Amino acid sequence: MANRSDDATYVEEALQHLGPVEVRAMFGGHGVFLDGVMFGLVADGDLYLKVDDHNRESFDQAGLAPFVYGGKDRPTTMSYHRAPEPIDDWGTLEAWARGALDAARRAAAAKRPRRVE
C-alpha cells in the first residue's frame, strides 16, 4: 500500500463485505473501524487485525505476527496480528476479519461501565 488514500481505499474495499468500514488516520498509522469499534490497524502498509483469547491461537498457528510498537521506553506488543495475504481475497480474509470484529466488540463491551441503579 503506497500512501494514506491508497491504504484507506484498499483496506475499505477489502473489508467492504463486513459493512461500512472506515479507515481513520491516527498515531502515524490508521485505525480500521466498524460500528464504532476499532478492529484493525494499518501500519507501515500492513493490515493488522484485533486478537483476544478467542482468536489469538489461530493467528499464532498461521504464523501471523503481532504488531509491535516501538514505545518510548521499550517495544510494546499490541493486541493486533498481521492479516493473512492477500487481503483482497475475501474467501481467505473473511473468517479472520469477522473474528477480529468479534474480538473488538468483546473488548468494547468489557470497557463499558455498568450502570448503577
Side-chain angles (χ1 to χ4, degrees), residues 24-112:
R24 303 180 200 155
M26 51 189 306
F27 308 115
H30 300 89
V32 182
F33 295 83
L34 179 66
D35 299 333
V37 296
M38 185 172 149
F39 72 99
L41 64 87
V42 179
D44 299 322
D46 294 317
L47 174 63
Y48 294 83
L49 297 171
K50 180 79 171 161
V51 298
D52 66 6
D53 290 340
H54 291 87
N55 66 346
R56 182 177 293 106
E57 187 175 341
S58 296
F59 283 84
D60 289 340
Q61 287 178 351
L64 298 167
F67 176 72
V68 179
Y69 174 76
K72 210 172 16 171
D73 297 323
R74 66 189 189 306
T76 302
T77 301
M78 298 184 64
S79 59
Y80 294 85
H81 280 237
R82 191 175 206 150
E85 294 285 337
I87 69 166
D88 58 358
D89 176 2
W90 184 243
T92 298
L93 186 61
E94 180 176 14
W96 302 94
R98 290 192 188 283
L101 183 56
D102 290 344
R105 287 176 174 156
R106 285 188 291 270
K111 288 182 184 178
R112 290 192 187 116

